[in-house]
Amino acid sequence: MPYLKLSDACLAYGHVPLLDHADFLLDPGERVALIGRNGTGKSSLLAAMAAGSGKGRLDDGEVWVQPGIRVGYVPQEPPFDPEASVFEAVISGMGETSTLLAEYHEISHHLADGQGDHDTLLARMDTLQHELESRGAWAYEAQAERVIARFSLDPEAKVGSLSGGQKKRLALAQALAVAPEVLLLDEPTNHLDIAAIEWLETLLIESGVTLLFITHDRSFLDRVSTRIVELDRGKLASFPGNFSQYQQRKEAMLHEESLANARADKLLKEEEVWIRKGVEARRTRAVFRVQRLDRLRAERQARRERMGKVNLQLEVGDRSGKLVAELEHVQKSYGQRPIVADFSTRIQRGDKIGLIGPNGAGKTTLLRLILGELQPDAGSVRQGTKMEIAYFDQFRTQLNPDSTLSDVISPGSDWVEIGGARKHVIGYLEDFLFAPERARSPVSSLSGGERNRLLLARLFAKPANVLVLDEPTNDLDIDTLELLEQLLQDYDGTLFLVSHDRTFLDNVVTQTIAAEGDGVWKEYAGGYSDWASYKAGVARAEADKPKIEAKPAAKPADVVKAKGDKLSWKEQRELETLPEKIAGLETEQAALTLQLEDPALYLRDPQAAQKASDRLAAIDDELMSLLERWENLEARAGNPN
């Protein structure tokens, strides 16, 4: 029996149907990803499912929820009382029980701190305790405390003091506190750093909870989803498997759809020509053709075309100097906390640099040091010449919610200059999928994804040879993400990219600057996957090292015995050839390391780069094995050298 069922659902905003008699089933144990273009109604559908059985937020149709199951829901921007504590916010999803638990929690703190009338507080606590026991609320409190600890949150902290990433953790903790059988998540990766996203992936997979979630993070989709459901032109289409498998099937489906539409359009055109001949159409035996023409016209009118693609064009300014920035032994601290400790780098025109690290590591601070907006405590920063810098702000502070879309793009003018040519602002907004009638709408009327598209439109309307993009992928649909990737790959200027989207980083950047902790930053060739592979190799080497060092020292008698053992002829020949094998591997290792230090390799031939990286990791294992073998044979041969 399914957990959730959507039947004949209809929902429209204005004249555009978001759901057009859509059906959907969510079975136990599934992890279903809901994808689609921005503005197609994904969040509205998820909210309707979260509202529970009945018509709820739908115009027609109904949602059915299996009786007795608990459903947790995390919207894209969860509403919290900024004055509430983390504990109060987590238990607030438990209905009336949450109020009693919050009061009991508050009284226990007053008693511990010696506040208020002791006897009155004890009497009230006794009453609350009986009431909570009758409701079985202690299990809820224990569950709330467990999830708060699991998400590394301070139960006494005020919600208003939390960062964006901590608020997202809080929302997830609130949903999990009721131990739901079904979890509905709307963009759960927004505001989380990469480490937190990978942790969340593991948590969701290992918990076994049934999931219905919305995300545009392709790495998250590939690892977590067991089925993809696409909302396209009001209909829901289901694709078993993860996102990579969906892409293959979807490409074939779109090809078949385009062929079918082309055949129908050709037939309609032929029938329109025939009907205009007049006399033949009035013959009795041709009535069926008139009826077919009416049917073809109706089908063509009812057909909903796929939403167009964003027309991204980046206005590149005059070329900057070859040197963009040079940092030598730069240090920066806030109080006793080091943000940047002895960091040196040289950035040249055309470099595409990704900055990765946990929230609060200082990515923005390092960027401001590189661009000369912040002075270091020690060390030197040298800026290049002729730099025209454009910023993309993840918090969209550059957008005035009261301004109209056209004023954001071109204040006080109806024209914008792109690539040396003038273009009307309404036509330019259409390139970013904004209908002409929305040009005078306020920014406050836009969704999160639409605001990101507007900010990109504003950014790309200005010439720039240095782009600084801070989390540009939040809320963008996958089609727009892929177009933006292509645009940035072809961009001739210098790029600084801060992003938690691992696939986006891999496809765009040629160098990575990563936070290593305690203010230490290191530079690596390649994208996120290359950095992760390198760190995994280092971790493996560190894990193997104690095993070698932990070998118990040989007793004197054992050493004498080992030295007395004679090597066979085959082992003697092996011992003689080992130095040559080891030298050969070390030479290959050095060559591969030099090859991988070339950023151009990752753009020119990413498969060769991956192959070289894999071979480098294998050489480490081979060298370790050969060195151990050499040591063993040397000891048995009685040669201490």
Side-chain angles (χ1 to χ4, degrees):
M1 181 183 293
Y3 274 160
L4 295 177
K5 182 179 180 182
L6 188 73
S7 302
D8 205 29
C10 295
L11 181 65
Y13 285 141
H15 66 284
V16 179
L18 300 179
L19 295 174
D20 188 3
H21 301 282
D23 298 302
F24 171 73
L25 291 175
L26 181 65
D27 291 321
E30 284 194 299
R31 297 192 299 270
V32 178
L34 179 62
I35 66 171
R37 298 293 294 269
N38 290 136
T40 54
K42 300 186 300 296
S43 293
S44 299
L45 172 57
L46 204 67
M49 302 286 274
S53 295
K55 189 172 177 179
R57 304 188 182 192
L58 301 174
D59 296 334
D60 200 3
E62 68 172 343
V63 175
W64 177 86
V65 180
Q66 186 183 126
I69 71 160
R70 292 180 297 275
V71 179
Y73 173 50
V74 180
Q76 200 169 138
E77 299 294 339
F80 288 119
D81 178 3
E83 296 303 316
S85 70
V86 166
F87 180 82
E88 291 168 343
V90 168
I91 64 172
S92 64
M94 301 176 184
E96 188 180 348
T97 303
S98 66
T99 306
L100 299 176
L101 275 173
E103 186 181 355
Y104 184 90
H105 193 69
E106 184 179 6
I107 290 174
S108 64
H109 278 282
H110 287 332
L111 287 170
D113 297 339
Q115 300 176 7
D117 182 79
H118 188 268
D119 292 337
T120 304
L121 290 175
L122 278 177
R124 178 56 182 160
M125 178 176 269
D126 185 61
T127 303
L128 286 171
Q129 189 167 353
H130 284 92
E131 179 66 22
L132 289 168
E133 284 176 356
S134 67
R135 293 171 176 260
W138 300 122
Y140 288 126
E141 183 186 34
Q143 173 73 359
E145 290 172 348
R146 279 196 298 273
V147 295
I148 288 171
R150 177 185 283 182
F151 283 87
S152 303
L153 296 169
D154 178 4
E156 304 305 322
K158 294 294 184 184
V159 172
S161 69
L162 303 182
S163 67
Q166 289 172 321
K167 286 181 180 176
K168 182 64 75 171
R169 287 174 179 259
L170 174 60
L172 291 164
Q174 183 190 60
L176 290 170
V178 297
E181 284 93 355
V182 177
L183 195 54
L184 309 178
L185 305 177
D186 194 349
E187 294 289 1
T189 64
N190 279 4
H191 308 301
L192 294 182
D193 56 48
I194 292 174
I197 292 172
E198 292 177 336
W199 172 84
L200 178 60
E201 288 172 350
T202 302
L203 173 70
L204 294 175
I205 293 169
E206 292 180 351
S207 69
V209 67
T210 300
L211 282 177
L212 175 60
F213 63 96
I214 299 169
T215 187
H216 299 129
D217 186 320
R218 288 158 291 178
S219 298
F220 191 93
L221 281 167
D222 257 346
R223 188 175 175 203
V224 175
S225 63
T226 59
R227 179 160 65 104
I228 303 290
V229 171
E230 183 183 32
L231 179 55
D232 182 19
R233 291 164 284 180
K235 300 293 186 182
L236 292 170
S238 180
F239 301 84
N242 62 16
F243 181 69
S244 297
Q245 294 165 323
Y246 151 80
Q247 284 183 305
Q248 297 171 1
R249 294 188 179 96
K250 182 63 177 178
E251 186 176 354
M253 279 183 59
L254 289 177
H255 179 66
E256 288 299 322
E257 181 182 338
S258 64
L259 291 178
N261 287 343
R263 287 193 294 267
D265 290 343
K266 181 181 179 182
L267 181 58
L268 176 60
K269 184 177 180 180
E270 291 170 351
E271 294 301 289
E272 291 284 7
V273 170
W274 170 80
I275 197 68
R276 284 173 175 80
K277 292 181 179 179
V279 176
E280 294 179 53
R282 287 192 290 272
R283 294 176 184 168
T284 304
R285 67 174 184 272
V287 169
F288 82 95
R289 293 190 66 178
V290 177
Q291 293 172 342
R292 183 174 64 176
L293 176 60
D294 290 339
R295 178 172 52 80
L296 288 170
R297 285 171 173 170
E299 288 174 355
R300 184 63 186 85
Q301 186 176 4
R303 187 194 305 168
R304 290 182 63 187
E305 302 292 352
R306 282 180 57 80
M307 189 184 295
K309 289 188 175 182
V310 178
N311 182 17
L312 296 180
Q313 291 181 336
L314 186 53
E315 175 72 354
V316 182
D318 295 332
R319 285 164 64 88
S320 67
K322 185 174 181 181
L323 175 70
V324 173
E326 186 174 42
L327 283 70
E328 292 186 354
H329 306 293
V330 167
Q331 298 183 37
K332 185 68 181 179
S333 300
Y334 290 129
Q336 299 298 313
R337 184 185 169 212
I339 302 298
V340 180
D342 194 20
F343 179 63
S344 300
T345 188
R346 181 182 177 88
I347 297 165
Q348 296 184 314
R349 181 180 64 232
D351 286 348
K352 294 182 173 65
I353 297 172
L355 281 84
I356 62 175
N359 290 337
K363 297 185 289 291
T364 302
T365 299
L366 180 58
L367 264 178
R368 293 181 65 199
L369 287 167
I370 292 171
L371 298 173
E373 298 175 356
L374 194 64
Q375 294 303 310
D377 298 336
S380 64
V381 179
R382 183 160 68 100
Q383 253 78 46
T385 58
K386 300 180 182 178
M387 291 199 301
E388 299 176 40
I389 303 172
Y391 288 88
F392 183 99
D393 172 19
Q394 67 161 312
F395 299 110
R396 311 183 190 106
T397 54
Q398 301 168 46
L399 296 179
N400 181 350
D402 297 323
S403 296
T404 64
L405 274 61
S406 57
D407 283 341
V408 168
I409 300 300
S410 183
S413 173
D414 289 336
W415 300 90
V416 61
E417 190 167 317
I418 303 293
R422 294 182 76 209
K423 189 168 188 174
H424 198 278
V425 67
I426 292 179
Y428 182 67
L429 283 168
E430 282 188 286
D431 289 342
F432 288 81
L433 304 184
F434 292 107
E437 56 269 21
R438 300 192 68 184
R440 305 301 175 190
S441 300
V443 171
S444 58
S445 67
L446 302 181
S447 68
E450 288 173 327
R451 291 189 188 203
N452 260 20
R453 284 212 311 270
L454 180 64
L455 194 53
L456 286 172
R458 182 179 185 271
L459 182 77
F460 294 165
K462 297 180 178 180
N465 52 38
V466 177
L467 274 182
V468 181
L469 305 182
D470 190 356
E471 297 291 5
T473 64
N474 282 352
D475 303 320
L476 289 182
D477 59 58
I478 293 169
D479 286 349
T480 307
L481 275 178
E482 292 174 345
L483 287 168
L484 181 58
E485 282 176 359
Q486 185 62 52
L487 180 78
L488 295 177
Q489 287 168 3
D490 298 337
Y491 179 55
D492 292 332
T494 305
L495 171 69
F496 294 95
L497 173 64
V498 178
S499 178
H500 66 247
D501 190 319
R502 292 154 288 177
T503 304
F504 193 81
L505 284 165
D506 280 342
N507 291 342
V508 172
V509 305
T510 57
Q511 296 152 258
T512 298
I513 298 177
E516 305 283 326
D518 296 324
V520 176
W521 296 82
K522 290 186 179 179
E523 193 167 0
Y524 301 87
Y528 171 79
S529 295
D530 301 290
W531 170 82
S533 296
Y534 174 81
K535 298 300 286 184
V538 171
R540 283 196 303 270
E542 289 296 321
D544 290 341
K545 191 180 292 184
K547 295 176 185 176
I548 299 168
E549 295 174 353
K551 289 180 179 178
K555 297 177 182 178
D558 293 335
V559 173
V560 173
K561 184 179 179 181
K563 289 186 178 182
D565 288 343
K566 289 186 178 181
L567 299 178
S568 66
W569 181 85
K570 186 177 180 181
E571 288 174 327
Q572 185 64 43
R573 290 290 300 155
E574 182 184 1
L575 178 59
E576 291 171 1
T577 59
L578 276 174
E580 185 179 345
K581 288 181 179 178
I582 291 170
L585 284 174
E586 288 176 340
T587 302
E588 185 183 0
Q589 186 182 49
L592 286 172
T593 302
L594 186 64
Q595 183 182 354
L596 289 170
E597 286 176 355
D598 179 12
L601 174 66
Y602 297 87
L603 289 177
R604 185 176 64 249
D605 193 349
Q607 290 184 345
Q610 184 61 51
K611 187 176 179 180
S613 180
D614 293 342
R615 176 58 186 154
L616 197 59
I619 287 175
D620 288 337
D621 295 337
E622 289 180 35
L623 277 173
M624 187 67 68
S625 176
L626 290 178
L627 287 168
E628 287 182 16
R629 179 63 174 163
W630 191 17
E631 182 182 4
N632 178 265
L633 291 176
E634 285 275 75
R636 288 180 56 203
N639 183 1
N641 296 319

